[in-house]
């Protein structure tokens, strides 16, 4: 059993928040038992076969729409981003899909990395490894959370 796999199992067992471990979003690290850097075969052990797959240059995506999870893998088959679209997944601060802009700012503070178009506002916290896409037509509520490796300045 690999070190990363063991770490994922330990992380699922011991969580000091009110969010169940299976649904905890940890910025820059994991979503539930799915850990950044984990091999695709390990993801499949947790989530089962994906409903769909897509390949592009150097990476691929695996989709579990019934779970609200999409996993992006690099060309070596390791998880490099996790997309969350189901409200049961939450950070330790209680932020997730459905959270309002004010909740994100209260939990993570202001960011200087925001992008906006007519329908969507994206707040990025690259030093933490998390971004939030908010639907402007629905009162600036989070529609997607993305977890990725932190980008160090």
């Amino acid at each position: 059993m690999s070190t990363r796999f063991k770490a994922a199992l330990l992380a699922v067992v011991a969580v000091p928040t009110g969010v169940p471990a299976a649904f905890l979003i940890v910025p820059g690290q994991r979503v539930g038992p799915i850990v950044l850097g984990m091999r695709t075969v390990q993801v499949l052990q947790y989530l089962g076969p994906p409903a769909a797959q897509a390949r592009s240059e150097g990476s691929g995506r695996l989709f579990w729409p019934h779970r609200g999870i999409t996993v992006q893998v690099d060309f070596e088959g390791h998880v490099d981003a996790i997309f969350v679209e189901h409200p049961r997944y939450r950070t330790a601060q209680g932020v997730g899909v459905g959270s309002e802009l004010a909740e994100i700012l209260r939990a993570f503070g202001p960011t200087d990395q925001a992008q906006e178009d007519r329908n969507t506002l994206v707040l990025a916290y690259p030093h933490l490894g998390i971004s939030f896409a908010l639907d402007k037509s629905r009162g600036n509520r989070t529609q997607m959370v993305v977890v990725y490796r932190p980008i160090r300045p």
Side-chain angles (χ1 to χ4, degrees):
M1 188 180 296
S2 76
T3 304
R4 285 185 185 157
F5 191 66
K6 287 178 186 174
L9 288 176
L10 290 174
V12 169
V13 173
V15 178
T17 70
V19 179
F23 305 112
L24 183 65
I25 297 171
V26 180
Q29 295 182 25
R30 65 186 177 90
V31 173
I34 309 307
V35 178
L36 295 173
M38 182 180 272
R39 296 183 49 77
T40 304
V41 67
Q42 294 168 311
V43 174
L44 297 174
Q45 288 174 341
Y46 284 115
L47 299 179
Q53 299 182 45
R55 290 250 175 241
S56 62
E57 290 184 36
S59 67
R61 287 195 180 182
L62 306 169
F63 302 90
W64 289 268
H66 63 286
R67 293 180 181 264
I69 295 286
T70 298
V71 174
Q72 181 172 299
V73 295
D74 63 20
F75 67 95
E76 293 179 344
H78 293 97
V79 174
D80 65 3
I82 307 162
F83 300 80
V84 179
E85 296 181 89
H86 196 288
R88 70 180 157 210
Y89 297 94
R90 296 279 181 212
T91 66
Q93 299 86 350
V95 176
V97 170
S99 292
E100 296 177 355
L101 175 61
E103 293 175 79
I104 296 168
L105 295 174
R106 211 171 16 256
F108 295 94
T111 182
D112 58 355
Q113 296 211 8
Q115 293 182 332
E116 188 171 8
D117 65 21
R118 256 185 43 193
N119 302 314
T120 308
L121 169 64
V122 177
L123 299 179
Y125 296 87
H127 64 286
L128 297 175
I130 193 165
S131 293
F132 302 90
L134 293 91
D135 185 341
K136 291 168 55 176
S137 68
R138 296 202 169 153
N140 279 331
R141 289 193 178 272
T142 305
Q143 63 185 6
M144 181 186 297
V145 180
V146 184
V147 174
Y148 47 89
R149 293 184 202 286
I151 299 169
R152 304 291 178 213

